[in-house]
Structures are given as C-alpha cells and as structure tokens.
Amino acid sequence: MKSSITIYLAGDSTVQTYGTSEEPQAGWGQYLDRYVDEAVSISNHAIGGRSSKTFITEGRLEAISSEMNETDYLLIQMGHNDSTKNKPERYTDPYTDYKQYVRQYIEQARRRKATPILITPVGRLHYVRKEFLADFGDYCNAMKEVAEEEKVELIDLMAKSIAYYSSIGYEKTAELFMISMNGTDCTHFTEKGAYMIAQLVAKEMKQLDDGISTYVTV
C-alpha cells in the first residue's frame, strides 16, 4: 500500500496558485493535482516575483522545510526572476550564487529526508522569425550542472515547453499566455496554459526514477 505523500512546490508566478479574482491567470502548480493519485497532496508555496535568493531570504524555504518529511518531494523551479539585473535584491549570477542558492533547496530537502527535483524555468512566448526561443539559457545550464553535481533528478521544462509550443504553432501557443487576454503578457499563463504545462511536468515526473512516478496518473 502506497504511503501518503506531499509534493511541495517552490517557484515563481508561473507556478503559483491564483485566486478567483485573478482569473483567467493561472500557474501550473495549481493544476498538478489533476495528474497525481489520491495518495498525494500538493502544497504550492510558489509566489510571484521571487528568485532563488529572495524565496530563501523571506523564509519561504524554511517554512517548507519545517513541514517536509521522508516521504515527500520538493519541486524547485527558479530562474525567471533571478535574471533581473535591474532588481539587485533578487538578481543572482547564474554560475555562482544562483547555483549556491539552488543547492540550499537540495540541502533542506535532504536534511528532512525528502526528495528534491529540479525544474528548469518554463518557456515564455518569445517568438522570432517563426521560431520559439528559449530564454534564461545560463540559468537552465547552471541548474543542469547542479543536478549533475548533486545527483538530483531534473525536469528540463524549458526544453519540453519550447518543443510543445513548436508542435502546436504560434496562434495556439498564444492562447496559453495572458497576451491573449491583455495583449502584452508573454510570461504568465491562462488557465488553459497552466493546465497544459502541468501536464508536461507530470509526464516528465512519470519518467523519473526516484519513486515519484508511482503517483503520477497521466
């Protein structure tokens, strides 16, 4: 018989759960429960505007750590806000302090005997000359380096999301983003977009070898 587990999410506005007053904007974390069985609870701590650094300095990682136990998982998607050099309070250099902060998430999970899983930043609607472009390249690479160095499972959500956008084309991809509602936002998802990204994440979880695949129903 499978044990009850909690999947904790640490991330930014593309992951967070939004209230009804903010519809149709949504984050993929609020739909992940659609793709796991009844033994799993999703605890979404993701919040907009946070980088790998400020999520920690505000005590949000510690709040997760205080609840985790050995049957749990911590999914970490950070990078969007780390890249904002004009906001030094949250900016991190990809190959130095970003990697150091990402390691802190791994260390906290392992200290609680939980399982960390790294997730590269999700792709934005960045379309140039009929091609979807992958942003945050250095942060994606740095996260992959940490995953290899620390022997942690990684979901390359940037690669998977860009491949998905390319498969359905620009018009259908635009419907996944809030630009389809307000004409400007190429970063945040509509409910439809968040639902599809959650499905991508779940499909990748299904391929992992750390036990979490047992709970995925996609």
Side-chain angles (χ1 to χ4, degrees):
M1 183 177 179
K2 288 181 284 191
S3 302
S4 296
I5 70 166
T6 300
I7 297 175
Y8 292 89
L9 305 180
D12 52 40
S13 57
T14 63
V15 186
Q16 80 173 69
T17 297
Y18 290 83
T20 55
S21 64
E22 297 168 292
E23 292 176 355
Q25 186 166 323
W28 64 256
Q30 71 192 74
Y31 291 104
L32 193 60
D33 61 350
R34 308 287 181 90
Y35 302 106
V36 294
D37 68 25
E38 67 279 357
V40 179
S41 298
I42 305 295
S43 183
N44 191 358
H45 289 249
I47 186 167
R50 272 60 178 189
S51 66
S52 64
K53 175 170 64 175
T54 55
F55 195 90
I56 291 174
T57 58
E58 292 177 0
R60 298 178 187 278
L61 177 57
E62 184 59 37
I64 295 174
S65 181
S66 67
E67 300 176 8
M68 281 190 297
N69 62 53
E70 62 185 2
T71 65
D72 297 333
Y73 292 83
L74 175 60
L75 274 57
I76 306 119
Q77 182 207 280
M78 292 290 179
H80 276 253
N81 297 308
D82 288 78
S83 67
T84 50
K85 286 188 176 181
N86 63 331
K87 295 186 177 181
E89 69 278 5
R90 68 187 192 187
Y91 172 74
T92 63
D93 176 81
Y95 295 107
T96 55
D97 46 345
Y98 175 71
K99 291 181 69 173
Q100 293 168 5
Y101 283 115
V102 170
R103 283 193 179 93
Q104 290 187 44
Y105 293 81
I106 297 170
E107 291 165 0
Q108 286 278 21
R110 286 176 168 168
R111 184 172 66 84
R112 301 289 294 178
K113 295 182 169 53
T115 303
I117 298 172
L118 299 181
I119 303 177
T120 59
V122 65
R124 298 187 294 190
L125 182 62
H126 191 176
Y127 192 71
V128 178
R129 296 181 180 179
K130 299 183 178 181
E131 181 181 4
F132 292 96
L133 302 183
D135 297 316
F136 315 113
D138 284 334
Y139 294 91
C140 292
N141 290 339
M143 182 167 275
K144 291 174 186 177
E145 289 180 1
V146 174
E148 183 174 352
E149 292 160 1
E150 299 293 334
K151 305 291 189 295
V152 175
E153 293 277 18
L154 177 132
I155 293 172
D156 192 353
L157 188 54
M158 178 62 72
K160 294 299 178 180
S161 58
I162 294 296
Y164 178 70
Y165 304 159
S166 299
S167 73
I168 64 174
Y170 178 81
E171 295 302 326
K172 290 184 177 179
T173 299
E175 295 175 3
L176 308 180
F177 288 87
M178 285 298 293
I179 190 174
S180 63
M181 299 294 163
N182 58 31
T184 59
D185 189 346
C186 294
T187 297
H188 299 100
F189 298 110
T190 58
E191 293 163 327
K192 180 179 180 180
Y195 185 90
M196 293 309 302
I197 297 300
Q199 187 177 95
L200 288 182
V201 172
K203 286 180 177 180
E204 292 306 299
M205 289 164 57
K206 189 71 172 178
Q207 304 304 313
L208 300 181
D209 294 326
D210 58 12
I212 200 170
S213 63
T214 307
Y215 301 95
V216 180
T217 58
V218 68

